[in-house]
Amino acid sequence: MSTTLARSTPLVTDLHEARSRTDFLFNLLTPSAWYERPIGERHRMVFYLGHLEAFDWNMVARRALGKPSFHPEFDRLFEFGIDPAEGNLPADTPADWPPLDEVHAYNARVRAELDSMIVQANGQIVRVAIEHRWMHAETLAYLLHNMPRELKRPPATRSAADFHSTPVHPTMIRIPAGEVTLGQSPAEFGWDNEFDEHRVHVPPFSIARYKVSNGEYLRFVESGAKPPFFWSQQNGAWFYRGMFDLLPLPLDWPVYVTHEEAEAYASWAGAVLPTEEQFHRAAYGAPDGCESSYPWGEEPPSVARGNFDFAHWDPQPVTAHPAGDSAWGVSQLVGNGWEWTSTPFRPFPGFRQFDFYPRYSAAFFDDDHFVMKGGSPQTARSLLRRSFRNWFRHRYPYVYGTFRLVAHG
Ligand SMILES: [Fe+2]
């Protein structure tokens, strides 16, 4: 990767595109929403407004380019997010946070100063800033999802909920033994947890063609399981709590669940969750022994291939986007919801933390976080690369987490 950026390089364009997306999401908040905390385990919304700019400033201007701080208090206050263990929720109050106009003024100065110096910055650091912002675009989306309806404004135009699907015929697909490549090439950008690239042998297994649907999960709930966080019940009828609307439960949409719920359903169904390696084999392997960059091949992500890159606020039927199927005919491995794996989030062999962001991954190697693969409707296309790993706690209910079954070995 080059060490400096030419003006108007793709990276600068990418940064501006990512800023547009997060600005768009913040603009969906009503004025009274900024000091709310829609998710108990996360900060108040005003934190994220300051955090995106503070992160860029701390990484690119201060650390990479050695520029002096113009607002050390905000640099520290907005530096890092939180992921508390159960029973250890934050206890700050709205009064602990600065007024909104001060945060906006800080942000405006950060952007102006950064834009004047970014051409001097190391490309890897700028990519870290861009991908950090894209990840927060998804975090902002699910925070917004949990905001009461009166505290958010639906955008002027949005796609209608997709209730139309071909009938779902659950099918298991046999995948023969083969090798997969985990991790990222040293010549390409990746986060610390994507290295070192390495090969793993995967024994034969059978995997579901489709993600588990709301309709299938409903039978589990009717047998006594707790309903998922994204469902609500009124007068005996089930509903899906969408981003902006309460919808009669769409039975052929994938169910959003925690890792704990995905494991419990799999056990109830006499199956297991795929490992990270099995996911790779099903998504990127092929009968001819080759591996592809995406389940559908080498073409970059597009709307025909899946529900990602902010195409929709909510899921689509599990049978949507057959043009995104893998070489084995497995559907929706990328998009329409991250997929839980049975693999605890641990370092790959040869892992080295970034010296400029040492706790990015290492803080989560606690075996309470599990690897998710694929991507959700709110995942930016640049994060859909094969080596990207997402991770959340076993019982974290807010994320767009889906799953599919693997037959017992
Ligand atoms: Fe962050």
Side-chain angles (χ1 to χ4, degrees):
M1 182 169 283
S2 64
T3 52
T4 57
L5 298 168
R7 198 170 297 278
S8 295
T9 62
L11 278 185
V12 173
T13 309
D14 287 355
L15 175 62
H16 288 170
E17 187 189 349
R19 282 179 184 167
S20 297
R21 184 69 202 176
T22 52
D23 288 350
F24 168 78
L25 289 164
F26 282 130
N27 283 331
L28 299 178
L29 295 175
T30 63
S32 50
W34 286 104
Y35 294 83
E36 294 293 321
R37 186 201 305 282
I39 291 178
E41 292 88 339
R42 293 293 181 262
H43 275 310
R44 295 173 191 282
M45 297 307 292
V46 63
F47 165 81
Y48 298 96
L49 182 68
H51 173 60
L52 294 179
E53 257 51 61
F55 184 92
D56 293 358
W57 177 257
N58 287 330
M59 280 289 162
V60 181
R62 291 182 61 205
R63 184 173 279 274
L65 298 174
K67 302 294 178 186
S69 174
F70 66 87
H71 202 320
E73 182 196 341
F74 279 12
D75 294 351
R76 269 194 308 278
L77 179 67
F78 294 116
E79 189 168 19
F80 291 119
I82 51 172
D83 179 32
E86 274 182 62
N88 199 18
L89 298 181
D92 56 272
T93 68
D96 294 329
W97 295 92
L100 215 51
D101 57 350
E102 290 183 19
V103 185
H104 282 305
Y106 172 81
N107 287 353
R109 181 159 173 192
V110 166
R111 285 192 185 184
E113 297 217 9
L114 262 186
D115 285 358
S116 72
M117 66 178 75
I118 202 162
V119 292
Q120 307 158 30
N122 177 295
Q124 183 191 32
I125 298 280
V126 179
R127 180 59 67 194
V128 159
I130 293 166
E131 292 211 355
H132 173 260
R133 187 176 289 265
W134 281 128
M135 286 186 253
H136 270 286
E138 178 156 4
T139 310
L140 285 172
Y142 76 71
L143 286 165
L144 196 68
H145 205 124
N146 283 286
M147 197 65 95
R149 179 76 200 261
E150 63 275 16
L151 294 180
K152 56 188 173 187
R153 297 181 279 230
T157 56
R158 58 194 169 105
S159 57
D162 181 356
F163 294 114
H164 306 289
S165 75
T166 53
V168 182
H169 300 294
T171 312
M172 297 300 277
I173 293 176
R174 185 73 176 165
I175 312 275
E179 295 248 314
V180 296
T181 305
L182 298 188
Q184 178 65 297
S185 158
E188 301 289 334
F189 175 81
W191 292 85
D192 56 0
N193 64 71
E194 295 172 56
F195 300 102
D196 284 344
E197 186 179 44
H198 60 291
R199 307 263 298 164
V200 177
H201 177 78
V202 184
F205 64 101
S206 294
I207 191 165
R209 176 170 184 187
Y210 301 117
K211 297 173 185 287
V212 172
S213 67
N214 283 320
E216 290 168 295
Y217 202 87
L218 181 58
R219 294 202 291 277
F220 184 42
V221 171
E222 286 170 346
S223 79
K226 195 171 110 233
F229 175 77
F230 283 86
W231 294 12
S232 72
Q233 195 173 30
Q234 294 180 9
N235 301 321
W238 288 106
F239 291 82
Y240 163 74
R241 297 187 303 103
M243 174 63 93
F244 297 107
D245 308 291
L246 191 65
L247 303 169
L249 190 67
L251 297 180
D252 53 7
W253 288 12
V255 63
Y256 284 158
V257 290
T258 65
H259 185 263
E260 180 181 48
E261 290 164 337
E263 275 194 330
Y265 179 93
S267 173
W268 176 78
V272 291
L273 299 182
T275 64
E276 184 176 10
E277 293 87 348
Q278 287 172 333
F279 181 96
H280 270 255
R281 180 83 178 127
Y284 308 111
D288 64 5
C290 293
E291 284 183 288
S292 55
S293 300
Y294 300 99
W296 55 85
E298 295 303 321
E299 285 179 35
S302 64
V303 289
R305 304 291 189 181
N307 183 10
F308 42 63
D309 203 33
F310 319 110
H312 301 273
W313 292 106
D314 290 306
Q316 294 190 289
V318 296
T319 50
H321 303 296
D325 286 3
S326 78
W328 313 104
V330 183
S331 296
Q332 289 184 4
L333 287 152
V334 169
N336 220 24
W338 291 96
E339 290 206 9
W340 288 111
T341 73
S342 60
T343 302
F345 182 54
R346 291 177 186 162
F348 283 160
F351 170 82
R352 291 168 301 282
Q353 58 194 28
F354 288 156
D355 58 357
F356 53 83
Y357 196 173
R359 302 295 287 162
Y360 172 70
S361 301
F364 306 97
F365 295 147
D366 57 6
D367 284 358
D368 189 39
H369 291 78
F370 288 82
V371 173
M372 303 178 98
K373 294 291 294 186
S376 90
Q378 298 300 310
T379 306
R381 61 186 179 280
S382 64
L383 304 181
L384 301 178
R385 65 173 171 274
R386 186 174 77 191
S387 58
F388 189 83
R389 310 169 82 199
N390 196 359
W391 66 92
F392 279 95
R393 286 188 186 278
H394 182 59
R395 292 186 182 177
Y396 191 68
Y398 312 103
V399 68
Y400 302 129
T402 66
F403 70 108
R404 75 181 67 225
L405 301 179
V406 160
H408 264 301

